[in-house]
Amino acid sequence: MWQQGVRPVGGAVALQAIDTAADRLVGWKSIGAFLGCDARTAKRWERSRAMPVHRVPGDGVPTVWADRTELRLWLRGAPAEPVAAQPVAAAPPSTPQWRQRALAVLVGTGIAAGTAGLLLGNRSIPAAVHAAAVRAGPYDDDAAAQARYLNARFELGTRSAAGIAAAERDFQALTIRFPDRAAGYSGLADAHVLSREFGAVPDAVAFPRAAQAARTALALDPGLADAWLNRAFVAFWWQRDLSAGLAAFHEALKRAPDSAKAHHWLATALIATGDIATARTEIARARELDPNNHAIVADAAFVEISAGNYATALPALEALAQLDPDFAAAHRYLALGYLMTARDADYLREAATTARLIGRRNQLAGVELAASRWRSGGHRAMLDQLIINAVAAEARGDGCINDIIGLHALAGDRIGALRWLANAKARHPNDSVFLPNDPMMIAWRHDPAVLHAASAS
């Protein structure tokens, strides 16, 4: 992108998956979300303000829970009748819903299918199961919701227009079903920002939606690294507030230092600031943490394109496009690399493929016009048509004025580039902050006039 799953956590027990009482909040994060604070504050209120919290007896790390009614009474300062804790060994109701959830917990903890069958047949939980760790996740108390969340994350990972649209629907459903949980809103923010890159949603639509979802996620869970990444992405790429965006990226990394996504997103931001050396370090770390992620592989190549290292970038992208021909980012970056190296026929092919994959008909029509001009007039005629296309796209609201400036620069039209740069400063004063490091401006990155025009007013 110009762009966690779940992990085992000791101490969480199978009780979390079978506790379906409507008024019961299991875990400090759920309690804090109900109160509008983070888990740390909720723990402090229990110690200093006698907030009513219960603990399930037994060995290991204790599982805490609270009753919504008790908490409401406590907030109003009224005495609450204590809610009796149900013993862990009590058999859960033998409903099909419970059976589904119990089976999901057993599969998630790696318990053999034979044991699962024994459990469901006896309709009770053996003592060993209570001590088994389950996968920590935002919906691990509801098997159907957890499955939907993981499926939505998988759909996002496809980086296809259809997959992102499906993920958006799933995350939206989770926010409706669980309005007090941050993960659904953060996932929704991810879907919105990806819909503009891998789909046909304009920035002016996608970014405000992402900003709203990110605000909600952070309000519900200020400690959620993904929510900080959402805030960072919007601040950096939409609001063009580089300092606030970079600070939020680093905050996300502080909270999740082994997040491949956080290292990845920070790397792409650093490219835009011109810090190629650190961008390489961050993208390399992201690849170490998630070596199978195609988006990270593509952006590692984009780092090299931004550095003018086409001999490294283009073969890597060609291999990726061959392995995953429906992955739009590989074709988009190939198109840019071919354009920069005057491989016009290859550029036109990859640009058309990108437009088809992300469903942008106007963009595809523009590529076809550019191809016609190239066949009749060569490289410069193609660039002239691409400039016309970029101007039309910016006027429609689905383009970027920086593309117009970059294409003028690529065509060697310095006067035209500076004229449009002045236009950009007048109409969109924040847009020009990225221009000196745009790959199409590589020949003019140290041009005093360009640097002056792109500097803050």
Side-chain angles (χ1 to χ4, degrees):
M1 179 187 295
W2 223 162
Q3 195 84 257
Q4 251 139 53
V6 292
R7 57 186 176 187
V9 174
V13 295
L15 175 69
Q16 293 183 6
I18 63 173
D19 188 353
T20 59
D23 286 332
R24 185 165 298 169
L25 300 162
V26 179
W28 287 112
K29 288 180 68 174
S30 295
I31 295 169
F34 176 78
L35 296 170
C37 65
D38 59 13
R40 183 179 301 178
T41 300
K43 293 177 183 179
R44 187 176 72 250
W45 286 354
E46 185 212 11
R47 295 191 303 269
S48 62
R49 303 187 183 186
M51 185 177 73
V53 173
H54 307 274
R55 286 173 172 76
V56 176
D59 296 332
V61 179
T63 299
V64 299
W65 63 275
D67 181 79
R68 293 173 189 263
T69 302
E70 282 188 355
L71 291 179
R72 292 188 185 100
L73 291 171
W74 171 77
L75 286 170
R76 294 199 298 265
E81 290 294 325
V83 177
Q86 295 180 359
V88 175
S94 56
T95 63
Q97 184 182 42
W98 176 81
R99 292 184 190 182
Q100 273 191 337
R101 293 182 180 181
L103 182 58
V105 170
L106 290 169
V107 171
T109 55
I111 296 175
T115 306
L118 177 64
L119 167 65
L120 297 176
N122 293 342
R123 300 179 182 177
S124 63
I125 299 181
V129 178
H130 294 304
V134 298
R135 284 185 158 315
Y139 303 99
D140 59 2
D141 58 343
D142 187 302
Q146 185 183 50
R148 190 164 203 166
Y149 176 78
L150 295 177
N151 191 58
R153 282 290 169 193
F154 171 79
E155 290 163 342
L156 278 186
T158 67
R159 295 299 194 269
S160 67
I164 291 164
E168 184 178 337
R169 290 191 295 271
D170 282 336
F171 285 127
Q172 187 70 57
L174 287 170
T175 64
I176 293 171
R177 173 69 179 82
F178 299 94
D180 58 345
R181 302 194 186 186
Y185 292 99
S186 179
L188 194 58
D190 284 351
H192 289 320
V193 297
L194 290 174
S195 70
R196 42 167 286 285
E197 184 178 2
F198 295 95
V201 182
D203 284 4
V205 174
F207 271 118
R209 290 175 177 172
Q212 178 60 51
R215 281 194 296 270
T216 304
L218 272 178
L220 289 171
D221 187 355
L224 184 62
D226 274 357
W228 280 101
L229 285 177
N230 300 139
R231 169 179 281 187
F233 197 93
V234 171
F236 192 91
W237 294 109
W238 178 240
Q239 298 165 343
R240 305 297 201 259
D241 188 339
L242 274 60
S243 60
L246 289 173
F249 281 124
H250 286 292
E251 182 67 26
L253 270 174
K254 184 174 74 174
R255 296 175 182 277
D258 291 332
S259 166
K261 178 180 171 184
H263 287 283
H264 178 194
W265 287 23
L266 175 59
T268 58
L270 291 171
I271 298 169
T273 69
D275 189 354
I276 299 297
T278 311
R280 281 191 176 116
T281 299
E282 292 295 331
I283 204 71
R285 179 59 178 149
R287 289 198 70 177
E288 289 174 4
L289 292 165
D290 191 1
N292 297 321
N293 189 310
H294 290 188
I296 294 175
V297 173
D299 280 325
F302 183 68
V303 173
E304 300 308 317
I305 287 178
S306 298
N309 188 4
Y310 307 112
T312 298
L314 293 179
L317 290 167
E318 287 162 351
L320 179 58
Q322 186 174 13
L323 289 169
D324 189 355
D326 293 332
F327 181 44
H331 297 283
R332 179 189 296 115
Y333 293 156
L334 272 174
L336 176 61
Y338 291 146
L339 183 64
M340 296 295 297
T341 52
R343 292 173 57 174
D344 295 342
D346 292 331
Y347 160 73
L348 291 165
R349 181 190 68 247
E350 295 301 324
T353 300
T354 302
R356 281 193 292 267
L357 287 172
I358 63 179
R360 297 199 176 185
R361 295 179 181 176
N362 288 329
Q363 186 173 318
L364 180 58
V367 173
E368 291 170 349
L369 285 172
S372 177
R373 291 287 303 277
W374 172 70
R375 287 190 292 269
S376 63
H379 180 72
R380 182 54 194 259
M382 180 190 76
L383 288 176
D384 288 343
Q385 183 61 51
L386 291 175
I387 291 171
I388 294 170
N389 295 346
V391 171
E394 199 275 334
R396 287 194 308 267
D398 60 1
C400 176
I401 201 167
N402 288 2
D403 291 342
I404 305 171
I405 299 166
L407 286 165
H408 274 288
L410 200 58
D413 183 0
R414 185 173 183 273
I415 294 174
L418 290 173
R419 183 178 67 249
W420 273 98
L421 187 49
N423 190 356
K425 290 294 293 182
R427 295 166 53 198
H428 309 290
N430 291 334
D431 282 3
S432 59
V433 297
F434 298 139
L435 267 172
N437 302 302
D438 188 294
M440 287 190 288
M441 301 287 288
I442 192 167
W444 291 357
R445 282 181 178 171
H446 304 295
D447 186 304
V450 172
L451 293 173
H452 174 73
S455 64
S457 300

